[in-house]
Amino acid sequence: EPEVTQTPSHQVTQMGQEVILRCVPISNHLYFYWYRQILGQKVEFLVSFYNNEISEKSEIFDDQFSVERPDGSNFTLKIRSTKLEDSAMYFCASRRGSYNEQFFGPGTRLTVL
Amino acid sequence: AQTVTQSQPEMSVQEAETVTLSCTYDTSESDYYLFWYKQPPSRQMILVIRQEAYKQQNATENRFSVNFQKAAKSFSLKISDSQLGDAAMYFCAYRSGKTSGSRLTFGEGTQLTVNP
């Protein structure tokens, strides 16, 4: 069964460093998402991406964040200058069409020291 | 803005028994979708069940069923014949039916413990 994959599973970085989190959505899906979950808290929406552009973003998704679909398969989230409060689990999700549910990847645990 | 509330931070159930997890939501929209996701200790988000707001019939997936009360804006999850593998955090989520409004809004989660 097709699934969303994410790499790395765990990333440790120093405050102020740039990180890129990678996702490979399910191949025939058209909508792509990033969510984050700070430990012990609810899952929060960051950004959605469709037709090679951002379709929606939350207030969390500020200028430090960017997304890209550099080729036909990968979908990346970049954090330019990480802060301690960026430590969280980051989930990628994808969806085929307007009426379909989102499928989540296993997540990347980001730890900012 | 839509909000989702899960008022039970923790629930427990005996193996083979039935448990119901509560969820309420607030929206002014008439077209939307509701979901229950399961998050085991691995923290993977797994879709359990979905409900379209325009459908009056409650969704069912094997041992999982929902009680969707649109007027009351309530969407509870019933797990029958609970198994040890059902132990997880359960999140209720809302999605607008508008094409542009495709983000999921999650509740705070309910941690379910299954006792042998």
Side-chain angles (χ1 to χ4, degrees), chain B residues 3 10-11 17 21 26 38-39 45 49 62-63 70 81-82 86 88 92 106-107 110 112:
Chain B
T3 58
E10 297 175 349
M11 291 283 284
E17 299 285 299
L21 308 184
D26 188 26
K38 170 184 177 181
Q39 187 180 46
M45 295 289 286
I49 200 166
N62 301 313
R63 297 183 294 105
K70 191 171 184 179
D81 185 25
S82 298
D86 295 334
C92 177
F106 288 87
T110 296
L112 178 66

Side-chain angles (χ1 to χ4, degrees), chain A residues 9-96:
Chain A
S9 58
H10 190 191
Q11 173 95 44
V12 181
T13 190
Q14 295 291 325
M15 189 170 55
Q17 294 296 303
E18 173 183 286
V19 295
I20 298 176
L21 310 182
R22 292 183 166 81
C23 168
V24 179
I26 295 172
S27 63
N28 61 353
H29 285 194
L30 302 175
Y31 299 81
F32 313 110
Y33 305 82
W34 284 102
Y35 292 84
R36 81 171 186 191
Q37 184 184 31
I38 295 171
L39 186 63
Q41 298 187 20
K42 70 168 79 174
V43 178
E44 301 173 290
F45 168 78
L46 290 177
V47 65
S48 60
F49 194 86
Y50 170 71
N51 201 25
N52 284 319
E53 59 183 21
I54 290 174
S55 50
E56 190 180 7
K57 60 183 180 180
S58 72
E59 58 278 3
I60 302 169
F61 193 87
D62 60 22
D63 292 344
Q64 292 299 312
F65 292 89
S66 63
V67 289
E68 193 176 38
R69 188 155 161 82
D71 52 41
S73 59
N74 290 285
F75 179 52
T76 62
L77 174 69
K78 181 193 290 186
I79 309 175
R80 289 190 181 81
S81 179
T82 50
K83 307 183 185 75
L84 295 176
E85 54 264 36
D86 293 327
S87 294
M89 194 77 157
Y90 288 81
F91 293 102
C92 173
S94 70
R95 177 165 69 92
R96 171 156 174 70

